[in-house]
């Protein structure tokens, strides 16, 4: 299903919007570098904060990386957002495909029903790596921030109504 969704999304998106994917792939490559250094340094919080602040800079830097966006003086924020959604769908499809192939090649049980500890450990490492490198962790973290901000806004509105009445 993910393949059909990804193919339909790519078929329906304008080519000028997909041009922004190259700038986003640059950001993704730098994010891979940050994630690798983050893992090698035993996951420091400062590095994770830098990785989280890296993506909000995207709308300001990507237009300078894409020639079609530089050539025209148009608003490119929504185009970058749509290209980012397409990139997330592509990454999600690649993540599911890799997990399916690894799960098929390294079954957790042998033909006698005995558990392969090394296969299970490697599969868990693959899951963790894909979760970090393919932006699942960052997207979940940003969604948590948005939900907390919505919760804060509702609490403030309720507090204002309570104080004024």
């Amino acid at each position: 299903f993910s393949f059909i969704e990804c193919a339909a999304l790519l078929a329906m998106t304008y080519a000028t919007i997909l041009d922004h994917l190259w700038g986003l792939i640059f950001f993704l490559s730098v994010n891979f570098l940050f994630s690798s250094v983050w893992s090698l340094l035993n996951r420091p919080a400062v590095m994770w904060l830098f990785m989280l602040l890296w993506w909000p800079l995207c709308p300001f830097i990507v237009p300078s990386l894409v020639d079609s966006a530089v050539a025209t003086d148009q608003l490119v924020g929504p185009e970058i957002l749509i290209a980012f959604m397409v990139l997330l769908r592509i990454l999600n499809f690649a993540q599911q495909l890799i997990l399916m192939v690894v799960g098929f090649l390294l079954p957790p049980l042998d033909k006698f029903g005995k558990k392969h500890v090394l296969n299970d450990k490697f599969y868990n490492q693959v899951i963790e790596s894909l979760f970090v490198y393919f932006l699942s962790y960052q997207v979940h973290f940003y969604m948590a921030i948005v939900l907390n901000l919505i919760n804060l806004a509702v609490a403030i509105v309720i507090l204002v109504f309570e104080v004024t009445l």
Side-chain angles (χ1 to χ4, degrees):
F1 179 72
S2 183
F3 173 73
I4 296 170
E5 175 187 0
C6 189
L9 191 61
L10 285 172
M12 291 187 297
T13 307
Y14 290 116
T16 55
I17 294 175
L18 292 179
D19 287 342
H20 293 292
L21 277 178
W22 296 111
L24 290 173
I25 288 173
F26 165 75
F27 264 76
L28 185 65
S29 301
V30 174
N31 189 67
F32 280 175
L33 177 70
F34 289 156
S35 299
S36 298
V37 171
W38 179 67
S39 294
L40 289 173
L41 295 178
N42 204 13
R43 296 173 170 83
V46 174
M47 187 75 175
W48 181 249
L49 180 65
F50 186 70
M51 287 169 48
L52 286 177
L53 295 177
W54 172 246
W55 283 102
L57 295 175
C58 185
F60 304 109
I61 297 175
V62 168
S64 63
L65 298 174
V66 181
D67 292 335
S68 64
V70 175
T72 60
D73 293 331
Q74 60 183 357
L75 181 65
V76 293
E79 291 179 358
I80 292 173
L81 183 63
I82 292 170
F84 186 68
M85 287 183 205
V86 170
L87 180 67
L88 286 178
R89 290 289 93 205
I90 292 170
L91 289 174
N92 185 26
F93 169 69
Q95 181 178 7
Q96 290 178 5
L97 184 66
I98 291 169
L99 286 175
M100 188 172 56
V101 169
V102 170
F104 181 73
L105 294 177
L106 299 172
L109 302 173
D110 63 4
K111 60 183 176 182
F112 302 113
K114 187 176 177 185
K115 189 172 187 174
H116 287 289
V117 177
L118 293 177
N119 287 357
D120 196 34
K121 187 175 181 179
F122 179 74
Y123 189 71
N124 288 338
Q125 289 174 343
V126 168
I127 290 173
E128 181 182 344
S129 298
L130 291 176
F131 194 67
V132 171
Y133 291 128
F134 282 39
L135 300 179
S136 297
Y137 192 69
Q138 287 91 335
V139 169
H140 289 145
F141 196 82
Y142 284 127
M143 285 299 133
I145 290 172
V146 168
L147 289 174
N148 281 329
L149 289 175
I150 291 171
N151 189 15
L152 178 66
V154 169
I156 289 174
V157 168
I158 290 172
L159 182 68
V160 166
F161 280 145
E162 193 172 295
V163 170
T164 57
L165 295 178

